[in-house]
């Protein structure tokens, strides 16, 4: 388990998610693929936190407590991204329901409002 | 190279297993036609990801992953699938499949090339014993005037009464993440709270029955 | 000493009349207010009186160069204006304001009842002001402004009856053709400016020429441009054809503008820059153009049937006389001829107007026998014609003879050409003037305007425009009085102004002496041809120099008088006794006759060949083709390209979120690979 391997796994999950985003017709399935994208990004953030030192640690000079804590910035970002993703999925589902109510469909190919 | 950052073989093995499960579940999520099944596979994928988090010494993130994703998002999606009758009998066959595969493969290739061509600065390259102790060993934090504290390798030093021997942050991430969230990152943290509230209100506004439209719950 | 405000007042009085007539009178008293006439007459009379004072002042104190005023003073451009009151200006002041005054008085009756009486008088005032400003300008650019003002007022007056298409066309023609010459004038101004902006000030230019500071080649180009302006304004060949058409204006306008004053502006311009012309190499060209025009225009006058056109050709011919006189260096004789010509030609035109008043037409074929009805008009016109023909002892004789005598003294090729042209023109002039007199006043009355209109109807031709009513009696005294004054001047203005010997208080050669010898501002070069040290040697012989005064030459005078008398006799033989039949002669010389009647086909050449075929059909059409086939088409094709590309690209915006996401992903890949390949 090296940084490269973890990032590769993250990349694979991202690619799978991207495939889903591009090819799925059902908006709910599309939303699921989006969540996969989020997860891939979070894995990458945590992997960096685990395997790479913060800038203050890598340079010369005394090591301070803040520099040590900064090594976990990736974890913090992971938590923030997960929170935003949760909010996003709630909103996306609301949109899907609104779409379903308005058009009686959840197929994204049936929606081309952006054309206008 | 130093031993402190070496990954035990069992952990490495577990990572590969977890990764395999996650990837397999993810593939199922984007390929099965039954959306409900896809939602179930999605929950499995989330669990695999949380396992990876645990293996990466990110216990707190792993727990949050299970709570938020497996516990909330998956359930939400599953309920949505059930409420929208349209999708319960299956997603339409995906379109532009080969183009999508090509684009995704290209993105993956780009990521892979970047990952393997970059000279990463790794923890295992660290030489400062204090830094190594602060990350993965045990250390003592000085109380100095600025209040920031100075990290020292605890192995060769006797801690005084007022000092606490702390575990390295990679070994005990939860407390440190908590401290970061309410200190350095308090502003993004609060902002995310605001975003969630806004998203909730937005969701409610979108779902509110409009004038002249029948309530989807079949009421008035 | 004639102070500067008074000099400005000479110009300002007619300007005030113009403004007053154009605004207050027109608005409050109507377009036919007689007050307008009186205002203009009063203003011009004021100018005339002041002009007399100015002349008197210049005669006693010499030329006055009033100070320069700043006009435009910005970085790199310093223009001034001011009054240059020298002998030339003083004479022109008197001629212009004097003739103008008489014409204004005449017009009170002649234009009576015209729908736009007020407008007529405002334009006449504007013209007078512009002409007075032109002759007194100190700066070349100031002069050019007045020059163009003269041009526009001429345009307005030629097209005064603008409801007639022919008048509108004539005005347009006059304006455009003189613009051709003005183009050369403008180039000359620009060249002067590029040589040295200081030289735009005319006294400074004189000084520079006198000191030999201007090279002959530079002077030649400047003089050529200025002469182009003069050709246009003074209707010299080849820009002559506008002046006969300009007779579409009221006759009083023709009398003032197209005979006495405005057309002499070109002659004035050459006279004003005479030192420069002398220093240049264009003098021979000036002389030859003038000589050619004198004969050429006179020949067209031989066959014209419209009395005003006869006079118009005569004017062109006489202007050619003046120009050729200047060309052989006869500065004083040229101005003298300008001076005398102004009076008898104005008189002739006013007489033609008087005839029109009685017969209702200008076509001499429908006149005849008017001698009995209009004695005053008849005799004044006879005097004017005799003077124009150059018969002793009338004014035209003296001025014409001085020119011929100078040409004789030259004893050069150009001199002989000028002399012969002058004699031939004198013969022709005498013939056509008396042809006009005989056709108009002698013989049987041929019916006037009514008959002309009826004949046009019978021939199914459109009725000629501008026909009035026939009432065969003498014109009112307000029209006759100016005629008498001008006829008197035509008699006395020659000998008494520039006599051969001392006549009482008038010195010998008073006029010539006045305009040359005492005019030190113009002729800083020694009067008798000694070039000051450092000055460039003039290419002209010493005798050519302006100061040289020709002695009265009996043989030349005799020959010219014989020529003139011969012309008169031939006219008498043809139109009174019938000894020589004009019809038979026209038949025998039918080729020449039709060429002359066709005005040498210059109108056809200009309008049909050059403008229509050359300009419209060749140049304009090919340019139009180029415009549509290339300039426009490139734009059309570009627009089509844009439209097609836009239509193609519009398909990209299909509203499908997934397509957008795919493009985003591809973009991400491209950027990332680009970064990997070329980055770092």
């Amino acid at each position: 388990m090296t940084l490269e391997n973890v990032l590769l796994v993250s990349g694979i999950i991202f690619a799978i998610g991207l495939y889903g985003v591009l090819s799925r017709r059902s908006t709910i399935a599309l939303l699921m693929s989006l969540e996969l994208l989020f997860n891939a990004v979070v894995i990458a953030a945590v992997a960096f936190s685990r395997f790479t030192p913060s800038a203050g640690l890598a340079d010369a000079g005394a090591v301070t407590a803040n520099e040590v804590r900064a090594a976990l910035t990736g974890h913090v970002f992971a938590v923030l991204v997960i929170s935003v993703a949760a909010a996003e999925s709630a909103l996306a589902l609301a949109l899907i329901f609104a779409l379903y109510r308005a058009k009686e469909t959840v197929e994204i190919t049936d929606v081309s409002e952006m054309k206008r | 190279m130093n031993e402190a950052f070496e990954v035990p073989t069992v952990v490495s093995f577990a990572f590969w297993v977890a990764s395999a499960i996650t990837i397999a579940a993810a593939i199922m999520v984007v390929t099965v036609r039954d959306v409900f099944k896809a939602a179930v596979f999605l929950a499995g994928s989330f669990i695999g990801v949380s396992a990876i988090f645990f293996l990466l010494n990110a216990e707190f993130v792993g727990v949050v992953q299970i709570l938020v994703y497996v516990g909330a998002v998956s359930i939400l999606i599953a309920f949505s699938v059930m409420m929208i009758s349209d999708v319960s009998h299956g997603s339409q066959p995906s379109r532009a499949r080969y183009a999508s595969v090509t684009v995704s493969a290209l993105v993956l290739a780009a990521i892979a090339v970047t990952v393997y061509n970059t000279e990463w600065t790794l923890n295992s390259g660290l030489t400062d014993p204090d830094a190594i102790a602060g990350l993965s060993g045990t250390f003592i934090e000085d109380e100095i005037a600025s209040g920031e504290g100075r990290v020292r390798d605890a192995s060769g030093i006797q801690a005084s009464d007022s000092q606490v021997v702390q575990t390295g942050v990679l070994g005990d991430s939860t407390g440190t993440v908590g401290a970061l969230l309410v200190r350095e990152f308090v502003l993004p943290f609060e902002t995310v709270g605001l975003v969630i509230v806004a998203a909730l209100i937005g969701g409610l506004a979108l779902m509110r029955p409009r004038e002249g439209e029948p309530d989807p719950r079949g009421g008035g | 000493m004639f102070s500067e405000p008074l000099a400005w007042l000479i110009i300002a009085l007619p300007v005030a009349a113009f403004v007053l007539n154009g605004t207050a009178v027109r608005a409050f008293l109507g377009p036919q207010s007689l007050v307008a006439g009186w205002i203009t007459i009063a203003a011009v009379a004021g100018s005339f009186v002041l002009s007399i004072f100015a002349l008197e002042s210049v005669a006693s104190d010499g030329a006055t160069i009033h100070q320069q005023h700043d006009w435009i003073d910005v970085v790199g451009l310093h223009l001034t204006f001011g009054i240059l009151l020298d002998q030339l200006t003083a004479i022109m002041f008197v001629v212009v304001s004097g003739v103008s005054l008489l014409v204004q008085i005449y017009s009170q009756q002649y234009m009576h009842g015209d729908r736009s009486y007020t407008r007529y008088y405002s334009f006449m005032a504007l013209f007078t002001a512009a002409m007075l400003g032109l002759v007194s300008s100190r700066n070349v650019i100031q002069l050019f402004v007045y020059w163009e003002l003269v041009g526009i007022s001429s345009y307005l007056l030629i097209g005064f009856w603008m409801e007639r298409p022919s008048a509108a066309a004539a005005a347009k023609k006059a304006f455009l053709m003189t613009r051709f010459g003005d183009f050369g004038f403008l180039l000359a101004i620009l060249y002067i400016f590029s040589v040295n902006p200081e030289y735009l000030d005319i006294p400074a230019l004189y000084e520079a020429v006198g000191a030999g500071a201007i090279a002959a080649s530079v002077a030649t180009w400047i003089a050529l441009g200025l002469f182009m302006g003069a050709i246009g304004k003074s209707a010299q060949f080849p820009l002559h054809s506008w002046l006969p058409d300009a007779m579409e204006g009221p006759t009083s306008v023709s009398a003032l503008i197209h005979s006495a004053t405005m057309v002499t502006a070109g002659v004035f311009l050459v006279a004003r820059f005479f030192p420069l012309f002398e220093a240049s190499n264009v003098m021979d060209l000036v002389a030859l153009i003038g000589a050619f025009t004198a004969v050429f225009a006179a020949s067209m006058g031989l066959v014209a049937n419209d009395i005003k056109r006869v006079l118009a050709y005569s004017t062109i011919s006489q202007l050619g006389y003046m120009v050729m006189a200047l060309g052989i260096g006869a500065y004083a004789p040229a101005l003298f001829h300008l001076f005398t010509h102004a009076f008898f030609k104005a008189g002739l035109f006013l007489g033609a107007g008087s005839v029109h008043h009685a017969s209702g037409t200008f076509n001499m074929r429908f006149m005849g026998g008017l001698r009995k009805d209009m004695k005053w008009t008849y005799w004044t016109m006879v005097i004017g014609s005799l003077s124009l023909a150059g018969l002793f002892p009338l004014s035209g004789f003296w001025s014409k003879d001085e020119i011929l005598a100078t040409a004789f003294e030259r004893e050069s090729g150009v001199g002989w050409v000028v002399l012969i042209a002058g004699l031939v023109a004198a013969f022709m002039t005498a013939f056509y003037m008396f042809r006009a007199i005989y056709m108009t006043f002698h013989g049987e009355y041929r019916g006037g305007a009514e008959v002309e209109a009826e004949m046009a109807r019978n021939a199914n031709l459109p009725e000629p425009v501008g026909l009035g009513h026939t009432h065969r009696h003498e014109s009112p005294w307000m029209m006759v009085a100016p005629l008498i004054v001008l006829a008197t001047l035509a008699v006395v203005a020659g000998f008494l102004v520039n006599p051969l010997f001392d006549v009482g208080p008038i010195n010998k050669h008073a006029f010539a002496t006045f305009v040359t010898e005492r005019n030190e501002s113009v002729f800083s070069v020694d009067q008798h041809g000694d070039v000051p040290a450092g000055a460039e040697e003039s290419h002209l012989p010493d005798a050519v120099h302006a100061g040289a005064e020709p002695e009265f030459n009996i043989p030349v005078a005799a020959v010219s008088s014989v020529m003139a008398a011969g012309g008169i006799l031939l006219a008498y033989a043809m139109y009174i006794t019938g000894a020589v039949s004009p019809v038979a002669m026209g038949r025998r010389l039918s080729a020449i006759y039709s060429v002359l009647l066709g005005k040498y086909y210059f109108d056809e050449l200009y309008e049909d060949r050059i403008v229509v075929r050359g300009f419209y059909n060749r140049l304009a059409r090919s340019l139009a083709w180029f415009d549509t086939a290339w300039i426009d088409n490139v734009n059309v094709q570009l627009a089509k390209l844009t439209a097609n590309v836009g239509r193609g690209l519009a398909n990209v915006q299909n509203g499908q979120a997934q397509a957008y996401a795919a493009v985003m992903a591809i973009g991400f890949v491209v950027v990332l690979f680009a970064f990997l390949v070329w980055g770092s």
Side-chain angles (χ1 to χ4, degrees), chain B:
Chain B
M1 292 294 273
N2 50 59
E3 298 165 12
F5 297 103
E6 259 183 35
V7 180
T9 315
V10 61
V11 173
S12 204
F13 179 74
F15 167 74
W16 287 117
V17 171
S19 297
I21 291 169
T22 308
I23 290 167
I27 290 172
M28 295 307 285
V29 168
V30 297
T31 48
V32 290
R33 285 192 53 178
D34 187 337
V35 184
F36 187 77
K37 280 181 189 164
V40 173
F41 279 116
L42 183 66
S45 179
F46 285 158
I47 291 169
V49 171
S50 76
I52 292 173
F53 288 157
F54 282 113
L55 294 170
L56 288 170
N57 295 6
E59 298 87 359
F60 182 68
V61 181
V63 169
V64 168
Q65 169 83 6
I66 289 172
L67 282 177
V68 174
Y69 272 118
V70 184
V73 175
S74 297
I75 301 303
L76 199 60
I77 289 174
F79 268 101
S80 306
V81 170
M82 286 188 285
M83 284 173 74
I84 295 169
S85 55
D86 209 31
V87 280
S88 54
H89 56 77
S91 172
Q92 292 295 309
S94 47
R95 60 185 201 134
R97 204 174 297 151
Y98 299 109
S100 306
V101 166
T102 312
V103 171
S104 305
L106 278 172
V107 170
L108 177 57
I111 292 171
V113 168
T114 316
V115 164
Y116 286 103
N117 282 348
T118 310
E119 289 282 320
W120 301 107
T121 309
L122 293 173
N123 283 341
S124 50
L126 287 173
T127 49
D128 189 338
D130 288 349
I132 295 165
L135 287 176
S136 61
T138 52
F139 67 93
I140 297 168
E141 188 180 340
D142 277 351
E143 294 291 334
I144 54 175
S146 69
E148 295 298 326
R150 179 167 175 266
V151 172
R152 286 200 278 151
D153 188 350
S155 57
I157 297 166
Q158 186 65 47
S160 66
D161 289 346
S162 62
Q163 289 172 326
V164 180
V165 177
Q166 299 179 9
T167 312
V169 291
L170 291 179
D172 176 24
S173 63
T174 310
T176 313
V177 171
L180 280 174
L181 276 175
V182 294
R183 282 162 70 178
E184 277 89 346
F185 293 98
V186 66
L187 190 62
F189 182 65
E190 295 295 339
T191 310
V192 164
L194 203 63
V195 167
I196 291 172
V197 172
L200 282 175
I201 294 170
L204 285 174
L206 278 169
M207 290 305 295
R208 200 167 55 101
R210 269 172 241 159
E211 307 250 338
E213 265 185 43
D215 192 323
R217 290 165 298 187

Side-chain angles (χ1 to χ4, degrees), chain C residues 211-496:
Chain C
I214 296 181
S217 59
V218 175
T220 300
W221 285 111
I222 297 173
L224 211 55
L226 294 172
F227 187 52
M228 232 178 115
I231 286 177
K233 206 62 125 191
S234 281
Q236 297 297 292
F237 177 84
L239 297 180
H240 62 278
S241 65
W242 67 269
L243 185 57
D245 287 13
M247 298 303 134
E248 287 290 341
T251 309
S252 44
V253 167
S254 308
L256 175 60
I257 299 187
H258 303 117
S259 64
T261 57
M262 184 199 94
V263 288
T264 60
V267 178
F268 167 81
L269 190 71
V270 177
R272 173 55 90 206
F273 293 98
F274 194 67
L276 186 77
F277 275 82
E278 279 195 306
S280 72
N281 298 319
V282 298
M283 288 293 269
D284 287 350
L285 177 71
V286 173
L288 291 175
I289 293 259
F292 182 73
T293 308
V295 176
F296 171 76
S299 69
M300 288 187 282
L302 295 177
V303 297
N305 283 321
D306 185 313
I307 187 166
K308 280 182 76 181
R309 279 182 181 264
V310 172
L311 292 172
Y313 288 123
S314 155
T315 301
I316 299 175
S317 170
Q318 296 303 310
L319 290 167
Y321 247 86
M322 299 170 207
V323 169
M324 78 184 182
L326 288 168
I328 57 172
Y331 178 78
L335 289 183
F336 187 34
H337 194 59
L338 190 161
F339 181 74
T340 56
H341 172 259
F343 298 124
F344 57 66
K345 184 53 62 65
L348 284 170
F349 263 107
L350 293 184
S354 179
V355 167
H356 173 256
H357 206 68
S359 69
T361 178
F362 287 113
N363 195 331
M364 296 189 295
R365 290 182 173 181
F366 301 101
M367 298 178 184
L370 292 172
R371 178 178 42 157
K372 290 159 236 128
D373 303 310
M374 344 178 45
K375 286 207 161 42
W376 285 107
T377 306
Y378 173 65
W379 284 112
T380 51
M381 279 195 81
V382 166
I383 290 170
S385 299
L386 285 172
S387 183
L388 176 56
L391 240 62
F392 181 85
L394 299 169
S395 62
F397 170 75
W398 302 105
S399 56
K400 182 180 289 185
D401 202 68
E402 274 199 10
I403 294 173
L404 296 178
T406 314
F408 182 70
E409 281 177 15
R410 281 298 95 93
E411 292 183 339
S412 63
V414 175
W416 292 121
V417 170
V418 167
L419 182 62
I420 292 166
L423 291 172
V424 172
F427 173 77
M428 289 179 172
T429 306
F431 173 77
Y432 65 66
M433 277 324 295
F434 278 85
R435 172 175 173 267
I437 292 283
Y438 294 145
M439 283 178 80
T440 307
F441 292 103
H442 293 253
E444 292 299 311
Y445 182 61
R446 291 185 289 273
E450 276 86 358
V451 174
E452 185 178 3
E454 197 186 319
M455 278 184 72
R457 271 196 299 277
N458 291 342
N460 278 329
L461 292 171
E463 189 170 323
V465 290
L467 292 181
H469 297 288
T470 309
H471 29 74
R472 293 167 59 193
H473 53 75
E474 185 57 276
S475 304
W477 68 268
M478 281 254 300
M479 285 169 70
V480 175
L483 284 177
I484 296 168
V485 173
L486 287 167
T488 314
L489 284 170
V491 176
V492 301
F495 185 74
L496 289 184

Side-chain angles (χ1 to χ4, degrees), chain A residues 18 21-24 30 108-109 111-112 114-116, chain C residues 650 653-662 665 668:
Chain A
L18 183 62
V21 167
L22 295 182
S23 65
R24 285 298 227 180
L30 209 134
I108 193 165
T109 47
V111 187
S112 56
M114 279 191 289
K115 199 170 182 174
R116 280 169 227 145
Chain C
Q653 191 197 352
N654 58 4
Q656 294 293 314
Q658 286 172 317
Y660 297 176
F668 166 71

Side-chain angles (χ1 to χ4, degrees), chain C residues 111-236:
Chain C
M111 296 302 289
H112 190 83
D114 192 276
R115 283 193 297 149
S116 305
Y117 188 82
T118 309
R119 178 160 63 90
Y120 172 82
Y121 270 106
S122 20
F123 288 167
M124 287 297 260
L126 173 67
F127 165 76
T128 308
M131 193 67 201
L132 291 170
L134 170 68
V135 298
S136 60
S137 289
R138 181 185 166 152
N139 187 288
V140 183
I141 292 182
Q142 184 192 359
L143 200 159
F144 187 71
V145 170
Y146 285 120
W147 180 271
E148 292 299 340
L149 265 178
V150 163
I152 190 67
S153 47
S154 166
Y155 168 82
L156 293 171
L157 285 164
I158 295 170
F160 180 72
W161 288 315
M162 68 270 205
E163 66 274 9
R164 296 184 193 164
S166 58
K172 216 158 49 184
K173 183 174 178 180
F175 193 71
L176 290 178
M177 290 195 80
T178 49
R179 286 301 306 166
F180 247 82
D182 296 351
F183 180 64
F185 190 1
L186 201 55
L187 285 182
I189 291 174
L190 291 176
Y191 193 41
I192 294 172
F193 187 82
S194 73
V195 170
N196 186 351
E198 291 295 314
Y199 293 166
L200 289 176
D201 186 40
I202 292 170
L205 186 70
Y206 288 160
E207 221 164 88
V209 172
I214 296 181
S217 59
V218 175
T220 300
W221 285 111
I222 297 173
L224 211 55
L226 294 172
F227 187 52
M228 232 178 115
I231 286 177
K233 206 62 125 191
S234 281
Q236 297 297 292

